[in-house]
Amino acid sequence: EYNASYLVDNHADHERARKRKSRWEPVDELSIQQNDYQSKLDAITRVINSGSIPVDELCRSPSPEPLYDSRGKRINTRIDRARDKLEVQRHELCEKLYQLNPHTFRAPQGMRPLRASQKFY
């Protein structure tokens, strides 16, 4: 005798097996872009938190006139300008990651807000 139910069950198992994910399956562009931004953000955060900022790579322009705060401390040294550049890059990456996935994005720990404006006396 010919058992047709065997063929139907076998066909369902075969379809289920074909739908499993493969590591060779193409990944969507959104997750690739999100992983790229996240890795850049992690690298910048690691550099800022470690304190070993590559000043020579970030500040190649001649030094501007020195600026001092109210206590007489200089506020625009090369390392300060390099840290500010890294902070700006980090904020831009955070904004891009937030736009990609606003529900699950969390800013890195220790992030300080950017100055919206500067005061001139």
Side-chain angles (χ1 to χ4, degrees):
E1 286 183 24
Y2 189 71
N3 189 354
S5 65
Y6 173 76
L7 290 177
V8 171
D9 291 340
N10 190 15
H11 181 67
D13 289 341
H14 182 67
E15 285 296 318
R16 229 175 303 152
R18 286 179 56 202
K19 291 185 180 182
R20 282 193 298 187
K21 280 192 169 183
S22 168
R23 65 181 181 173
W24 306 110
E25 195 171 299
V27 181
D28 61 336
E29 291 294 321
L30 183 66
S31 65
I32 291 173
Q33 191 175 23
Q34 188 174 0
N35 289 341
D36 186 38
Y37 288 156
Q38 188 65 45
S39 65
K40 288 179 184 176
L41 179 66
D42 292 341
I44 290 174
T45 302
R46 199 174 320 112
V47 167
I48 290 174
N49 290 342
S50 70
S52 60
I53 298 174
V55 177
D56 293 333
E57 296 173 14
L58 294 171
C59 295
R60 303 292 287 176
S61 62
S63 295
E65 290 295 317
L67 296 176
Y68 299 96
D69 63 1
S70 61
R71 296 180 307 219
K73 183 181 174 190
R74 186 168 173 192
I75 57 174
N76 67 339
T77 60
R78 290 180 72 196
I79 194 154
D80 290 336
R81 289 183 285 133
R83 183 180 290 115
D84 289 342
K85 282 183 182 180
L86 288 175
E87 288 286 340
V88 167
Q89 288 177 359
R90 185 160 74 159
H91 277 278
E92 289 172 356
L93 286 171
C94 284
E95 288 174 10
K96 290 177 183 177
L97 281 168
Y98 181 76
Q99 289 172 356
L100 288 176
N101 198 354
H103 300 294
T104 59
F105 175 72
R106 289 178 44 192
Q109 199 171 16
M111 246 181 101
R112 55 184 183 172
L114 289 176
R115 283 185 243 157
S117 63
Q118 293 181 346
K119 295 181 181 179
F120 294 102
Y121 296 98

